[in-house]
PDB file of all heavy atoms in Angstrom:
ATOM      1  N   GLY O  12     -31.706  -1.233 -18.071  1.00  0.00           N
ATOM      2  CA  GLY O  12     -32.999  -1.525 -18.541  1.00  0.00           C
ATOM      3  C   GLY O  12     -34.043  -0.584 -18.172  1.00  0.00           C
ATOM      4  O   GLY O  12     -33.877   0.642 -18.035  1.00  0.00           O
ATOM      5  N   LYS O  15     -33.454   1.963 -15.162  1.00  0.00           N
ATOM      6  CA  LYS O  15     -32.361   2.953 -15.224  1.00  0.00           C
ATOM      7  C   LYS O  15     -32.831   4.356 -15.072  1.00  0.00           C
ATOM      8  O   LYS O  15     -33.928   4.681 -15.618  1.00  0.00           O
ATOM      9  CB  LYS O  15     -31.637   2.785 -16.592  1.00  0.00           C
ATOM     10  CG  LYS O  15     -30.432   3.745 -16.708  1.00  0.00           C
ATOM     11  CD  LYS O  15     -29.577   3.424 -17.848  1.00  0.00           C
ATOM     12  CE  LYS O  15     -30.280   3.647 -19.179  1.00  0.00           C
ATOM     13  NZ  LYS O  15     -29.393   3.429 -20.335  1.00  0.00           N
ATOM     14  N   THR O  34       4.855  -0.204  10.161  1.00  0.00           N
ATOM     15  CA  THR O  34       5.731  -1.295   9.818  1.00  0.00           C
ATOM     16  C   THR O  34       5.859  -1.433   8.358  1.00  0.00           C
ATOM     17  O   THR O  34       4.991  -0.951   7.629  1.00  0.00           O
ATOM     18  CB  THR O  34       5.150  -2.616  10.419  1.00  0.00           C
ATOM     19  OG1 THR O  34       4.014  -2.966   9.683  1.00  0.00           O
ATOM     20  CG2 THR O  34       4.743  -2.460  11.842  1.00  0.00           C
ATOM     21  N   THR O  46     -12.270  -5.116   6.838  1.00  0.00           N
ATOM     22  CA  THR O  46     -11.610  -6.069   7.713  1.00  0.00           C
ATOM     23  C   THR O  46     -12.428  -7.395   7.661  1.00  0.00           C
ATOM     24  O   THR O  46     -13.266  -7.541   6.684  1.00  0.00           O
ATOM     25  CB  THR O  46     -11.600  -5.514   9.131  1.00  0.00           C
ATOM     26  OG1 THR O  46     -10.837  -6.418   9.970  1.00  0.00           O
ATOM     27  CG2 THR O  46     -12.978  -5.366   9.731  1.00  0.00           C
ATOM     28  N   GLY O  78     -21.799   5.757  13.794  1.00  0.00           N
ATOM     29  CA  GLY O  78     -22.801   6.373  12.898  1.00  0.00           C
ATOM     30  C   GLY O  78     -22.681   5.891  11.464  1.00  0.00           C
ATOM     31  O   GLY O  78     -23.566   6.121  10.643  1.00  0.00           O
ATOM     32  N   ALA O  82     -21.332  -3.088   6.381  1.00  0.00           N
ATOM     33  CA  ALA O  82     -21.852  -4.335   5.769  1.00  0.00           C
ATOM     34  C   ALA O  82     -21.146  -5.540   6.419  1.00  0.00           C
ATOM     35  O   ALA O  82     -19.890  -5.499   6.652  1.00  0.00           O
ATOM     36  CB  ALA O  82     -21.603  -4.326   4.316  1.00  0.00           C
ATOM     37  N   GLY O 123      -1.181 -22.909  39.103  1.00  0.00           N
ATOM     38  CA  GLY O 123      -1.153 -22.135  40.357  1.00  0.00           C
ATOM     39  C   GLY O 123      -0.722 -20.661  40.082  1.00  0.00           C
ATOM     40  O   GLY O 123      -0.930 -19.834  40.946  1.00  0.00           O
ATOM     41  N   VAL O 215     -26.125 -15.960  11.074  1.00  0.00           N
ATOM     42  CA  VAL O 215     -24.892 -16.379  11.704  1.00  0.00           C
ATOM     43  C   VAL O 215     -23.709 -15.874  10.739  1.00  0.00           C
ATOM     44  O   VAL O 215     -23.818 -16.036   9.557  1.00  0.00           O
ATOM     45  CB  VAL O 215     -24.797 -17.864  11.860  1.00  0.00           C
ATOM     46  CG1 VAL O 215     -23.494 -18.252  12.408  1.00  0.00           C
ATOM     47  CG2 VAL O 215     -25.957 -18.377  12.727  1.00  0.00           C
ATOM     48  N   SER O 218     -15.868 -16.757  11.061  1.00  0.00           N
ATOM     49  CA  SER O 218     -14.474 -16.163  10.914  1.00  0.00           C
ATOM     50  C   SER O 218     -14.162 -15.928   9.448  1.00  0.00           C
ATOM     51  O   SER O 218     -14.509 -16.753   8.579  1.00  0.00           O
ATOM     52  CB  SER O 218     -13.447 -17.086  11.489  1.00  0.00           C
ATOM     53  OG  SER O 218     -13.569 -17.138  12.864  1.00  0.00           O
ATOM     54  N   SER O 246     -22.956   4.353 -13.380  1.00  0.00           N
ATOM     55  CA  SER O 246     -21.991   4.748 -14.414  1.00  0.00           C
ATOM     56  C   SER O 246     -21.949   6.262 -14.566  1.00  0.00           C
ATOM     57  O   SER O 246     -22.854   6.959 -14.434  1.00  0.00           O
ATOM     58  CB  SER O 246     -22.325   4.116 -15.768  1.00  0.00           C
ATOM     59  OG  SER O 246     -23.552   4.490 -16.219  1.00  0.00           O
ATOM     60  N   ALA O 307      -1.739 -32.224 -13.208  1.00  0.00           N
ATOM     61  CA  ALA O 307      -0.491 -32.043 -13.835  1.00  0.00           C
ATOM     62  C   ALA O 307       0.622 -31.771 -12.769  1.00  0.00           C
ATOM     63  O   ALA O 307       0.328 -30.950 -11.841  1.00  0.00           O
ATOM     64  CB  ALA O 307      -0.491 -30.946 -14.893  1.00  0.00           C
ATOM     65  N   GLY O 323       1.159  -9.516 -13.086  1.00  0.00           N
ATOM     66  CA  GLY O 323       1.290 -10.102 -11.729  1.00  0.00           C
ATOM     67  C   GLY O 323       1.631  -9.021 -10.693  1.00  0.00           C
ATOM     68  O   GLY O 323       2.269  -8.038 -10.994  1.00  0.00           O
ATOM     69  N   ARG O 324       1.311  -9.291  -9.414  1.00  0.00           N
ATOM     70  CA  ARG O 324       1.559  -8.318  -8.316  1.00  0.00           C
ATOM     71  C   ARG O 324       2.820  -8.786  -7.490  1.00  0.00           C
ATOM     72  O   ARG O 324       2.911  -8.514  -6.364  1.00  0.00           O
ATOM     73  CB  ARG O 324       0.359  -8.305  -7.417  1.00  0.00           C
ATOM     74  CG  ARG O 324      -0.906  -7.914  -8.102  1.00  0.00           C
ATOM     75  CD  ARG O 324      -0.917  -6.439  -8.427  1.00  0.00           C
ATOM     76  NE  ARG O 324      -2.211  -6.057  -9.092  1.00  0.00           N
ATOM     77  CZ  ARG O 324      -2.482  -4.819  -9.447  1.00  0.00           C
ATOM     78  NH1 ARG O 324      -1.575  -3.847  -9.255  1.00  0.00           N
ATOM     79  NH2 ARG O 324      -3.630  -4.534 -10.011  1.00  0.00           N
ATOM     80  N   PRO O 337      -1.365  -4.171 -18.845  1.00  0.00           N
ATOM     81  CA  PRO O 337      -1.464  -4.395 -20.239  1.00  0.00           C
ATOM     82  C   PRO O 337      -2.860  -4.419 -20.732  1.00  0.00           C
ATOM     83  O   PRO O 337      -3.802  -4.782 -20.059  1.00  0.00           O
ATOM     84  CB  PRO O 337      -0.802  -5.712 -20.408  1.00  0.00           C
ATOM     85  CG  PRO O 337      -0.998  -6.440 -19.115  1.00  0.00           C
ATOM     86  CD  PRO O 337      -0.893  -5.331 -18.079  1.00  0.00           C
ATOM     87  N   THR O 413      20.721  -0.839 -17.797  1.00  0.00           N
ATOM     88  CA  THR O 413      21.780   0.122 -17.813  1.00  0.00           C
ATOM     89  C   THR O 413      22.738  -0.209 -16.652  1.00  0.00           C
ATOM     90  O   THR O 413      22.365  -0.823 -15.632  1.00  0.00           O
ATOM     91  CB  THR O 413      21.303   1.578 -17.633  1.00  0.00           C
ATOM     92  OG1 THR O 413      20.497   1.627 -16.467  1.00  0.00           O
ATOM     93  CG2 THR O 413      20.508   2.042 -18.836  1.00  0.00           C
ATOM     94  N   GLY O 419      35.000  -0.817 -14.757  1.00  0.00           N
ATOM     95  CA  GLY O 419      36.263  -0.577 -15.299  1.00  0.00           C
ATOM     96  C   GLY O 419      36.725  -1.644 -16.188  1.00  0.00           C
ATOM     97  O   GLY O 419      36.311  -2.808 -16.116  1.00  0.00           O
ATOM     98  N   VAL O 427      24.185  -3.786 -12.534  1.00  0.00           N
ATOM     99  CA  VAL O 427      23.179  -3.172 -13.392  1.00  0.00           C
ATOM    100  C   VAL O 427      21.934  -2.906 -12.727  1.00  0.00           C
ATOM    101  O   VAL O 427      21.756  -3.270 -11.525  1.00  0.00           O
ATOM    102  CB  VAL O 427      22.866  -4.202 -14.640  1.00  0.00           C
ATOM    103  CG1 VAL O 427      24.171  -4.332 -15.499  1.00  0.00           C
ATOM    104  CG2 VAL O 427      22.495  -5.556 -14.087  1.00  0.00           C
ATOM    105  N   SER O 443      28.500   2.128 -25.866  1.00  0.00           N
ATOM    106  CA  SER O 443      28.099   2.718 -27.137  1.00  0.00           C
ATOM    107  C   SER O 443      29.320   3.426 -27.703  1.00  0.00           C
ATOM    108  O   SER O 443      30.303   3.690 -27.049  1.00  0.00           O
ATOM    109  CB  SER O 443      26.919   3.702 -27.000  1.00  0.00           C
ATOM    110  OG  SER O 443      27.221   4.699 -26.109  1.00  0.00           O
ATOM    111  N   VAL O 451      29.737 -12.342 -23.674  1.00  0.00           N
ATOM    112  CA  VAL O 451      28.832 -13.456 -23.487  1.00  0.00           C
ATOM    113  C   VAL O 451      28.582 -13.581 -21.970  1.00  0.00           C
ATOM    114  O   VAL O 451      29.512 -13.556 -21.170  1.00  0.00           O
ATOM    115  CB  VAL O 451      29.452 -14.740 -24.038  1.00  0.00           C
ATOM    116  CG1 VAL O 451      28.557 -15.928 -23.714  1.00  0.00           C
ATOM    117  CG2 VAL O 451      29.659 -14.633 -25.524  1.00  0.00           C
TER     118      VAL O 451
END
Side-chain angles (χ1 to χ4, degrees):
K15 182 168 67 175
T34 74
T46 188
V215 175
S218 293
S246 59
R324 304 286 184 179
T413 55
V427 294
S443 59
V451 176

